[in-house]
Amino acid sequence: MTGPAGTRATATAPKPAAAKAAPGPPHPTVRALTRALPLTPATVLLLLFLAGPIAYCAYIAFTDLQLTGQAEDSFIGFENFRTAFGDEAFLNAVWLTLVFTVVSALLGQNTLGLALAALMRRASKPVRTLVGGIVVTAWVLPEVVAGFLLYAFFRREGTLNAVLDWLHLPTQNWLYTLPILAVSFANVWRGTAFSMLVYSAALNEIPKEITEAAEMDGAGGWRRMWHITLPMIRRSIGTNLMLITLQTLSVFGLIWVMTRGGPGGKSQTLPLFMYEEAFQKSMIGYGTAVALLLLVVGSLFSVIYLRLLRTEV
Amino acid sequence: MPAVNTRRLAADAGLLVIAAAFVLPLAWVILSSVDPKADLTVKVPDGVTLDNFDAVLTPEITFTPLLNSLLLCGGGTALTVVCAALAAYPLSRFRSRLNRPFLLTILFATSLPITAIMVPVYALFVQVNLIDTVQGTIFFFAASQLPFAIWLMKNFMDGVPKELEEAAWTDGASSLQSLLRVVLPLMGPGVAVVTVFSFVMMWGNFFVPFMLLLTPEQMPAAVSINEFFGNRGTVVYGQLAAFSVIYSTPVILLYVGVARRLGGGFALGGAVKG
């Protein structure tokens, strides 16, 4: 069970006292520390570049730090947060973030992902492979490329309008009239593969006997879905909802490429609002306050996610 | 049984309809990249040309940004994988009171919205002179990818039986030696998955280099493509499509390479299964 004591002692204990102890088994604390040694690089990186910025975030959110013009930033307490909740642009961004998350993640990716996974179980193998490949490709594509593809798709002279025209349906300039819906659909296009993979794995774990028994009892497809499948995969549903919500909360590049948050802030979700305040208006303190709110919301979801997994860690 | 066939046909039809909606934007980029007169609508080109690729395959448009991407993502991935492998070892091999809190913190960090901290990271990087440096960006890339990488690596490492290592220990190998010579080779596919996943995530990431790098010559493809699109007046869609294809191909190939190992549960990296 234990490694050679000599190497450990030389690795951790240059002090003479410890060197003397080398022949016997090392002190439990020394041993624990040596064993924890490989954790150091990762821990240092995480502390410096992840925990550090988060702590710094929590600090500058309470200051009036600006990019230019000001020599010293000063502590202003909750002023940034008060400003935010009285700022129409901020409230607009909160609302749009909510719409974006509900439409694209909860309704779009989640439902479509489940539908795809369920249909795939019945489909023939070539169709399954083809469809899976297409959906996953959309997911693997770099964010910016996905943004362009959907920009082209939704533009006035783009593919969507060409299809609608061909079907004799009314067309419009989607990125101008309904930008938040356009970016939401873009996020569905890009993110559905994740839910599809999660649900495919979950559905595969349902014992066949249970569905077969229900089928014998005469339960139709919808009833089986509602009364058997969904309750059996409810943990996966919870985890999936949590993870796609978190992913959707932090989408930046996709919206940035498609609309830059415009026109007139009509697709400006919180990450884009944060960016604009911090950099285009140079209000780093204010932008960070928004970031902190986003982080707090994310942490809450993250905690719920941990509770969902609690029994398994 | 005819009932099964009908159902299968219905499922096939449903899937194909959904796939048709998914495939249109993808078809656009592929067709436009070889279309001499590409515009924003998906259409079969009159003639196939490689001119668009020729036009973008210059050092300035393609090679430098891709090389930058390779440097950033390669560096970030290497750092991530090394740190994750080292960190996963004690978490997987030794029992300690610290394991559980550490793993819970890691799992918590896995799902934090990293986008939110980019503004403070920028402010911090300005203060410590890491802004606009490749190494600073690599460090941040690695740190942001580490929680998930450690988690994934630990789960793969748990799958390697401890007995094999004990044999190495008896032969006098140190922990580091047994990690390098016994454990890592046995979990080769797992290491490959962590490597490819980290690389793909960094390759596609736009916001991090967009915030932390300023000099155009250092920009990776994720950012330069945006300039390509935004700052050149009339957009040559065929060339943009060609560049998108070139830029996306490596990650798609890498993904396909490990896809079978990833399976359905890959996306969660075993998080769902614990």
Side-chain angles (χ1 to χ4, degrees):
Chain A
M1 220 41 115
T2 52
T7 40
R8 278 220 213 89
T10 46
T12 46
K15 280 178 282 174
K20 253 179 245 162
H27 190 273
T29 322
V30 174
R31 198 177 68 169
L33 283 178
T34 326
R35 284 183 166 181
L37 205 62
L39 281 169
T40 322
T43 314
V44 169
L45 267 180
L46 287 172
L47 285 177
L48 285 182
F49 292 96
L50 218 55
I54 291 173
Y56 193 54
C57 177
Y59 164 70
I60 50 179
F62 295 95
T63 68
D64 57 357
L65 184 63
Q66 295 186 3
L67 269 186
T68 46
Q70 213 179 357
E72 283 285 306
D73 55 289
S74 53
F75 191 76
I76 55 166
F78 284 93
E79 194 53 41
N80 284 327
F81 297 95
R82 267 196 289 277
T83 314
F85 285 101
D87 181 353
E88 254 176 57
F90 171 76
L91 296 175
N92 172 56
V94 171
W95 167 245
L96 289 175
T97 308
L98 206 66
V99 172
F100 183 62
T101 311
V102 170
V103 172
S104 70
L106 304 188
L107 296 177
Q109 294 181 6
N110 184 55
T111 319
L112 191 57
L114 181 59
L116 282 167
L119 282 174
M120 278 185 171
R121 288 175 67 74
R122 291 193 181 162
S124 55
K125 192 156 190 291
V127 172
R128 199 162 57 211
T129 315
L130 176 75
V131 177
I134 291 169
V135 175
V136 169
T137 304
W139 181 55
V140 182
L141 279 187
E143 198 176 10
V144 181
V145 172
F148 282 132
L149 299 196
L150 290 144
Y151 169 84
F153 185 72
F154 281 109
R155 272 289 297 241
R156 188 203 293 273
E157 58 276 49
T159 304
L160 177 60
N161 278 343
V163 172
L164 290 174
D165 200 40
W166 183 67
L167 294 170
H168 299 290
L169 289 169
T171 62
Q172 54 185 309
N173 191 352
W174 300 98
L175 291 172
Y176 196 77
T177 49
L178 290 166
I180 191 68
L181 277 190
V183 295
S184 297
F185 278 108
N187 196 40
V188 172
W189 185 83
R190 179 169 150 78
T192 297
F194 184 83
S195 302
M196 181 184 84
L197 293 174
V198 171
Y199 287 134
S200 293
L203 292 180
N204 273 334
E205 285 183 9
I206 298 182
K208 260 214 164 81
E209 301 79 49
I210 296 181
T211 24
E212 273 165 12
E215 211 167 336
M216 298 286 261
D217 291 343
W222 290 111
R223 277 178 69 106
R224 280 206 307 276
M225 183 56 131
W226 190 250
H227 290 288
I228 296 168
T229 311
L230 289 181
M232 290 201 69
I233 60 168
R234 63 179 189 283
R235 287 173 58 90
S236 299
I237 298 176
T239 333
N240 184 53
L241 286 178
M242 211 52 59
L243 291 173
I244 60 177
T245 303
L246 285 160
Q247 286 159 8
T248 304
L249 272 182
S250 48
V251 170
F252 179 89
L254 191 68
I255 305 180
W256 179 256
V257 171
M258 286 180 72
T259 66
R260 308 261 141 132
K266 281 205 290 179
S267 59
Q268 193 179 50
T269 56
L270 281 171
L272 283 101
F273 177 78
M274 167 195 93
Y275 176 78
E276 186 181 287
E277 291 300 322
F279 292 101
Q280 283 159 355
K281 299 187 184 162
S282 302
M283 310 288 281
I284 297 248
Y286 185 41
T288 309
V290 176
L292 188 62
L293 289 173
L294 203 56
L295 209 55
V296 168
V297 174
S299 313
L300 288 178
F301 277 110
S302 204
V303 168
I304 302 174
Y305 169 60
L306 286 189
R307 312 265 317 184
L308 278 172
L309 296 177
R310 186 179 41 180
T311 49
E312 306 192 24
V313 181
Chain B
M1 275 195 295
V4 171
N5 278 335
T6 325
R7 253 200 249 156
R8 172 167 296 173
L9 278 178
D12 282 358
L15 281 178
L16 288 174
V17 169
I18 301 175
F22 267 86
V23 89
L24 282 174
L26 289 173
W28 174 76
V29 76
I30 293 167
L31 294 175
S32 299
S33 70
V34 292
D35 188 342
K37 286 178 298 209
D39 58 23
L40 282 167
T41 315
V42 61
K43 61 175 178 353
V44 179
D46 296 336
V48 171
T49 170
L50 289 179
D51 290 353
N52 292 324
F53 286 94
D54 263 351
V56 295
L57 281 174
T58 66
E60 182 201 356
I61 298 177
T62 301
F63 299 125
T64 310
L66 283 187
L67 203 64
N68 290 339
S69 289
L70 196 65
L71 196 66
L72 276 181
C73 308
T77 304
L79 196 57
T80 307
V81 172
V82 170
C83 291
L86 286 173
Y89 187 71
L91 293 172
S92 167
R93 276 354 198 197
F94 305 125
R95 239 174 292 166
S96 156
R97 270 172 301 145
L98 285 177
N99 281 4
R100 206 180 132 83
F102 192 90
L103 282 171
L104 282 175
T105 313
I106 290 292
L107 198 54
F108 174 77
T110 307
S111 32
L112 282 183
I114 294 298
T115 305
I117 62 166
M118 287 319 293
V119 174
V121 167
Y122 175 89
L124 203 61
F125 270 37
V126 169
Q127 302 224 327
V128 296
N129 275 330
L130 275 176
I131 201 73
D132 200 24
T133 61
V134 173
Q135 68 271 29
T137 313
I138 287 178
F139 283 136
F140 184 73
F141 258 148
S144 64
Q145 204 51 53
L146 255 178
F148 191 67
I150 294 177
W151 185 256
L152 207 56
M153 196 73 96
K154 186 220 168 237
N155 281 330
F156 282 122
M157 213 175 269
D158 286 346
V160 178
K162 216 169 172 176
E163 290 72 31
L164 295 165
E165 217 173 331
E166 278 160 12
W169 284 341
T170 333
D171 291 343
S174 70
S175 291
L176 185 65
Q177 281 169 330
S178 69
L179 171 66
L180 285 179
R181 303 253 169 86
V182 182
V183 183
L184 288 180
L186 282 173
M187 54 179 284
V191 177
V193 167
V194 178
T195 310
V196 166
F197 185 80
S198 306
F199 189 83
V200 169
M201 294 308 281
M202 293 175 196
W203 187 264
N205 193 307
F206 164 74
F207 202 30
V208 171
F210 178 65
M211 293 285 289
L212 301 183
L213 295 175
L214 310 169
T215 322
E217 289 73 40
Q218 294 191 343
M219 289 300 179
V223 184
S224 76
I225 187 177
N226 189 43
E227 305 294 311
F228 186 99
F229 178 67
N231 299 343
R232 297 192 183 208
T234 15
V235 182
V236 188
Y237 290 106
Q239 294 182 13
L240 185 65
F243 183 74
S244 300
V245 170
I246 297 170
Y247 166 43
S248 308
T249 307
V251 283
I252 291 177
L253 291 181
L254 279 175
Y255 184 85
V256 171
V258 293
R260 204 170 301 156
R261 279 288 311 170
L262 310 179
F266 155 72
L268 294 178
V272 153
K273 294 195 172 184

